[in-house]
Amino acid sequence: MDVFSEIRPLKAFLSQEKKELNSIGFVPTMGALHKGHLSLIEASRSENRLTVCSIFVNPAQFNNPADLARYPRTLEKDKLLLEKAKCNVLFCPDTAQMYSSQSRVIFDFGELDKTMEGYYRPGHFSGVALVVSKLLNIVTPDRAYFGQKDYQQFKIIEKLVDDLKFDVSLRCMPIIREPDGLAMSSRNARLTQVQRNKAPVFYQSLEEAKSLLRHGDSMKNVRALIAGKMERMGDVKLEYLELADTTNLTPTKNVSDNTVLLIAGYVGEIRLIDNLLMKDED
Ligand code: AMP
């Protein structure tokens, strides 16, 4: 695997490769890699001749400085995992490299960044859009791979790519889960054993909400039931549970195959998110 920490040499390398390959897959991450990330590498490898992964903990997308400071950083272990996954190129810049001049660009995605993650993490999606724009300009991939785990983020990136005419195809890959249903996340590493035992409640709540909604319960009742259940567990708190249209993520009360349930909350200090499509998988 070729490793680059600076933009110029990476671009020079890729432009040389591009002449021959014309098939570069890109997987942007913030590191502390797990099987969810590796599934994206695998998907990229299956469709492209060269796979580039980036690891960059992007300060612009953290609205909470403590969360940024505590974000897990495991670069040496990540390199080994990427080697094993046969990733071809790793780009791991530092903050000075990505933000050499103070960036003043602000993105506004209208309703899409005012609900759920956008509401509870003000400025988050503007920071995501900024770093993804920079990375797409640096790597100029043919295809870029993201996880359904961050559903709203994927919708934002779709809009960004469409609006700014980035010449890239986007792929949204399924959520990889632990055997007990907990969606894999870099943040899971920070859970204590007791918290880890409670964390699957987010996925279980999505399943329960889906079943109740399918049987005609209202979103209001379902939300209250799940919030109450989490409160009784202790150390677990529901932030939001929404049903939204899959195309534009507008919250809705009408259950259909074109809707998705999205959840966020805390186990202790650790914020977890998850989602579940209302459409049953075939
Ligand atoms: P992150 O490092 O958290 O910024 O995530 C990098 C990419 O991996 C994003 O596109 C995420 O949606 C994706 N990802 C994170 N967790 C999972 C998971 N459990 N399953 C599939 N993709 C994931």
Side-chain angles (χ1 to χ4, degrees), residues 194-195 197-202 204-205 226-237 267:
V194 174
Q195 291 171 335
N197 294 341
K198 295 179 179 181
V201 71
F202 286 91
Q204 288 156 7
S205 300
I226 282 166
K229 190 187 265 189
M230 287 189 176
E231 208 176 306
R232 284 190 296 280
M233 286 175 79
D235 215 22
V236 181
K237 190 170 157 268
V267 182

Side-chain angles (χ1 to χ4, degrees), residues 67 116-117 120-121 185 187 190 239-240 264-273:
D67 190 25
M116 298 180 283
E117 293 304 285
Y120 286 98
R121 303 184 69 188
S185 162
R187 287 188 167 86
R190 293 184 46 220
E239 194 166 64
Y240 66 77
Y266 286 87
V267 182
E269 300 271 283
I270 295 146
R271 189 166 183 280
L272 300 176
I273 62 171

